[in-house]
Amino acid sequence: MANEVQATTSADVDEKSLEVLVYSDNRDTRNEVMQAVGRRVAKGAPRINWTEAATWEGAYLKVEENHYDLLILDGEAAKLGGIGFGKMVRDELVPDMPYIILIGRPQDEWLARVSKPNAVLEHPVDPRTLSATVAEILKEKVRA
């Protein structure tokens, strides 16, 4: 499909790209996030290189071994949801890592806020809200 966003590999990475990891055990959720944001957060902004992770262990290794500008985490993921994973990343790997948590129920927002994410959004995602949130979090990097 022409509108389909593809995950990129390290061979596709250029100097001015933004690295974003999306973690969810649900492939449809990962695709929905990547489709909603697209390849750029704004006209003239750096390209987004997407990395997908289906397990928290895989996501942890990717964050440990690579640089990411933003993490988008599924709070409903099995075994370790985005709330716990985001806190773990900040506690153990990158203290100032920006991340967004996607929650399935509005009443879970208070719990998500405990881990101090940059944003908490409801799932299913609203493409405009998610894109605007990603752009806001990455605004300093987008201007560079």
Side-chain angles (χ1 to χ4, degrees), residues 76-87:
E76 306 298 315
K79 295 192 180 181
L80 182 62
I83 297 168
F85 182 74
K87 182 164 178 15

Side-chain angles (χ1 to χ4, degrees), residues 108-126:
D108 290 338
E109 183 174 353
W110 71 270
L111 180 60
R113 295 255 175 235
V114 170
S115 70
K116 300 180 182 170
N118 295 74
V120 177
L121 301 175
E122 288 186 35
H123 187 263
V125 297
D126 172 56

Side-chain angles (χ1 to χ4, degrees), residues 60-85:
Y60 189 92
L61 287 172
K62 288 173 192 257
V63 173
E64 191 174 42
E65 296 172 356
N66 302 289
H67 163 80
Y68 291 99
D69 298 298
L70 175 66
L71 307 178
I72 301 176
L73 311 173
D74 181 357
E76 306 298 315
K79 295 192 180 181
L80 182 62
I83 297 168
F85 182 74

Side-chain angles (χ1 to χ4, degrees), residues 8-135:
T8 57
T9 64
S10 58
D12 299 325
V13 177
D14 62 51
E15 292 176 24
K16 295 184 180 184
S17 64
L18 295 169
E19 302 299 323
V20 180
L21 179 135
V22 59
Y23 160 58
S24 175
D25 60 350
N26 184 316
R27 178 184 297 242
D28 292 336
T29 298
R30 295 191 311 268
N31 286 333
E32 181 182 2
V33 167
M34 292 186 299
Q35 292 288 330
V37 177
R39 296 180 189 269
R40 299 180 191 278
V41 293
K43 185 177 180 179
R47 179 185 176 99
I48 294 176
N49 291 315
W50 291 99
T51 301
E52 297 180 56
T55 66
W56 76 265
E57 297 96 339
Y60 189 92
L61 287 172
K62 288 173 192 257
V63 173
E64 191 174 42
E65 296 172 356
N66 302 289
H67 163 80
Y68 291 99
D69 298 298
L70 175 66
L71 307 178
I72 301 176
L73 311 173
D74 181 357
E76 306 298 315
K79 295 192 180 181
L80 182 62
I83 297 168
F85 182 74
K87 182 164 178 15
M88 181 187 298
V89 167
R90 283 197 179 154
D91 288 350
E92 298 176 11
L93 298 175
V94 186
D96 59 347
M97 174 62 73
Y99 67 95
I100 297 169
I101 295 177
L102 306 177
I103 57 171
R105 304 178 320 153
Q107 59 267 40
D108 290 338
E109 183 174 353
W110 71 270
L111 180 60
R113 295 255 175 235
V114 170
S115 70
K116 300 180 182 170
N118 295 74
V120 177
L121 301 175
E122 288 186 35
H123 187 263
V125 297
D126 172 56
R128 288 184 184 191
T129 302
L130 180 59
S131 292
T133 303
V134 169

